[in-house]
Amino acid sequence: MSETTMQRDVIATLDSHFQQRKQQVPVLAQRAEAEGITAITSRKDMIPLLFPHTTYKSYPESLIAKGQWANMNRWIDSVSTHRVTDVDVSGVTDVDGWIEALEAAGHLVSSSSGTSGKGSFLNKSMRDREANMQNMIDGLSEMGLAPERTWHVIPVGPDTGQSAHVAMRDMIIDKYRRPDGIPLFEGTPPTGHHRYMARLQAMRRAMADGTAAPDEVAAFEAEGQARAAEQERRLHHWADHILARPTERIFFNSQFTQLFRLVEILREKGAKDGDITGANALTVGGGLKGNTLPDDYQDQIFRMLNIAPERFFHYYSMQELNLRMPRCLGGRYHVPDEIVLFVLDKDGEKLAEPDGGTVTGRAAFFDTTVDGRWGGTISGDRITVDLGDCPCGRPGETVLPDIARFTDLGNDDKITCAGTMDAYVRGFIEE
């Protein structure tokens, strides 16, 4: 297929999704009408219709503070494909209860932890979840880790209790864990994740402005210490079982921060590099979440746990996407055919200009598998894309590994259309 033919196919696909979703997603319809866009005839037509990542946290915080859950329904309905306004929230008392009510009605809300501030909420359907989990299996299989129940499986944690995390953990356990696998950690069942994160943010603000009462600070610190102690018990559980079977294959699922602490605990128990010889595998999601680790933290993890590059499934993705961009052994992230990649200028207003064979700018995507929302999003990431083929031999554009958040670069993460999109959403709430 020629490049021109491929481009025509991409535009036709984008227009097909647009024609369907503008009938379903209220904010998309309003945005398209305001921009005078009735059809997608070029990639440029898509740019005003891509939702800034901040759109999914555009609700007024007062709605949560005042327990106005019916209005939270109206807010998330405005950016959803499937209607939400009829979900019963009469018994809801906090964010966790609101999410449970939505999930009971088939709206599998994905939510950020809110560790860096206001949390975001994205409406996802069962089709979205199934696409996401199948994509994980496909990615692992492509790198040679097909689902076989021949592994010990260690989901390092912590366990947030969020349904998307639980579903992914259970799916990997079901597909990969051997019948006599390492027993799972049986700790205190997680409850009230969002309630706790909201309290954490409120306490930080109160401590910063000096309004936190000493007994409130003491109580919250005690809860935080209890949670940290629970995670330490979890990691010691895993470490003891690893040391009891150092030659057997283990499939780790984790974030780097928790995995590095596991390595520290193994060292505290006397383990040295080379003691663990099983052909172990790892998949990692998320970044460092604001934590600071040594520059060589990945090397330390791989040496201690005996994880070779070909058994490390790493990828670039975000909660707005169902699919992952897997990293090849050359260190580049490959964009799957189901995702249309856009590289925009810093303000998200136009396509960035290529410089030779690469282009650098703000990452934006259209994921054609998204069902519960509009599939187009503008991220907070600065990326560089190689427009040629990858040295690994696979064709197609690749995202280079020097991905950074604009906020981490000391820049204002300001997307020009974000304020306008927020105004549209507020309009739906106030109607």
Side-chain angles (χ1 to χ4, degrees):
M1 182 182 294
S2 71
E3 184 173 350
T4 301
T5 302
M6 289 176 62
Q7 286 298 319
R8 283 201 300 266
D9 287 347
V10 167
I11 300 306
T13 297
L14 293 173
D15 185 57
S16 175
H17 282 268
F18 169 63
Q19 298 301 335
Q20 180 182 22
R21 292 291 183 252
K22 72 177 181 179
Q23 306 297 326
Q24 300 168 320
V25 182
V27 167
L28 175 63
Q30 185 165 351
R31 180 64 172 167
E33 182 178 3
E35 294 293 321
I37 298 173
T38 59
I40 305 301
T41 61
S42 70
R43 292 169 68 93
K44 291 181 180 180
D45 290 337
M46 280 293 295
I47 297 173
L49 303 179
L50 300 172
F51 287 9
H53 63 96
T54 54
T55 300
Y56 297 104
K57 57 175 71 175
S58 61
Y59 55 89
E61 289 184 273
S62 61
L63 298 186
I64 291 178
K66 297 178 180 179
Q68 296 180 356
W69 306 112
N71 276 337
M72 283 297 291
N73 279 359
R74 296 181 71 181
W75 166 74
I76 200 169
D77 183 80
S78 71
V79 289
S80 298
T81 301
H82 308 293
R83 302 284 61 84
V84 176
T85 50
D86 59 349
V87 174
D88 181 12
V89 291
S90 57
V92 172
T93 59
D94 56 28
V95 172
D96 295 287
W98 178 60
I99 291 175
E100 289 172 6
L102 291 171
E103 294 203 340
H107 304 283
L108 307 180
V109 176
S110 172
S111 54
S112 70
S113 63
T115 53
S116 59
K118 191 177 182 183
S120 58
F121 303 101
L122 292 81
N123 198 354
K124 297 188 178 183
S125 68
M126 184 55 71
R127 286 177 58 186
D128 289 318
R129 181 166 292 179
E130 290 171 350
N132 178 261
M133 293 198 295
Q134 184 61 51
N135 178 250
M136 172 65 84
I137 293 296
D138 292 344
L140 290 168
S141 299
E142 186 174 336
M143 69 176 294
L145 298 175
E148 299 176 328
R149 300 196 67 190
T150 57
W151 298 81
H152 296 292
V153 174
I154 294 184
V156 176
D159 188 356
T160 66
Q162 296 184 79
S163 68
H165 299 170
V166 171
M168 182 61 71
R169 179 201 65 195
D170 290 351
M171 184 269 290
I172 290 178
I173 289 172
D174 178 64
K175 298 289 187 182
Y176 287 89
R177 183 171 179 260
R178 51 194 272 183
D180 62 343
I182 291 174
L184 300 179
F185 176 73
E186 295 183 3
T188 303
T191 58
H193 173 75
H194 291 285
R195 185 186 313 117
Y196 176 77
M197 296 309 300
R199 288 178 58 213
L200 174 62
Q201 294 166 34
M203 184 57 66
R204 285 173 173 170
R205 289 193 295 267
M207 292 174 67
D209 62 24
T211 61
D215 58 339
E216 292 176 335
V217 174
F220 194 79
E221 287 179 344
E223 182 177 355
Q225 291 167 2
R227 285 174 176 259
E230 175 87 345
Q231 176 61 1
E232 279 289 291
R233 288 193 294 273
R234 179 191 303 276
L235 294 176
H236 278 270
H237 168 85
W238 298 131
D240 289 340
H241 280 285
I242 292 167
L243 294 175
R245 43 182 66 74
T247 64
E248 298 177 12
R249 294 198 313 171
I250 301 173
F251 185 4
F252 294 91
N253 307 272
S254 181
Q255 294 180 342
F256 278 123
T257 302
Q258 289 79 30
L259 205 61
F260 186 76
R261 178 58 189 146
L262 176 62
V263 167
E264 289 181 325
I265 291 172
L266 287 167
R267 288 202 185 99
E268 293 166 7
K269 292 178 179 289
K272 301 184 297 296
D273 292 349
D275 288 349
I276 298 168
T277 59
N280 300 327
L282 168 66
T283 181
V284 172
L288 298 183
K289 301 295 185 183
N291 295 286
T292 301
L293 297 180
D295 291 340
D296 67 339
Y297 70 91
Q298 289 194 32
D299 289 337
Q300 291 191 47
I301 291 169
F302 295 166
R303 289 196 307 269
M304 174 60 77
L305 301 180
N306 192 36
I307 296 168
E310 63 270 18
R311 298 192 302 274
F312 174 39
F313 182 48
H314 196 38
Y315 52 84
Y316 174 44
S317 192
M318 56 199 65
Q319 70 168 351
E320 290 84 0
L321 303 176
N322 287 341
L323 307 185
R324 299 160 183 82
M325 288 159 266
R327 188 174 73 172
C328 69
L329 292 177
R332 300 183 178 203
Y333 300 95
H334 287 258
V335 183
D337 292 340
E338 297 88 349
I339 290 180
V340 181
L341 170 65
F342 299 81
V343 183
L344 309 180
D345 66 348
K346 179 178 178 296
D347 295 331
E349 293 185 300
K350 59 184 179 181
L351 293 170
E353 292 293 334
D355 181 10
T358 64
V359 57
T360 298
R362 185 180 290 274
F365 306 95
F366 190 89
D367 184 340
T368 60
T369 70
V370 169
D371 174 63
R373 308 167 318 287
W374 174 231
T377 188
I378 304 177
S379 79
D381 295 344
R382 188 193 70 179
I383 63 172
T384 296
V385 174
D386 190 324
L387 302 174
D389 293 341
C390 182
C392 78
R394 292 177 56 183
E397 59 194 8
T398 51
V399 179
L400 301 185
D402 56 338
I403 301 167
R405 292 184 180 274
F406 279 103
T407 51
D408 293 340
L409 297 171
N411 295 320
D412 180 19
D413 183 18
K414 183 178 180 182
I415 302 171
T416 299
C417 65
T420 302
M421 297 296 291
D422 289 358
Y424 292 156
V425 173
R426 286 195 299 272
F428 282 101
I429 297 172
E430 294 166 0
E431 285 179 353

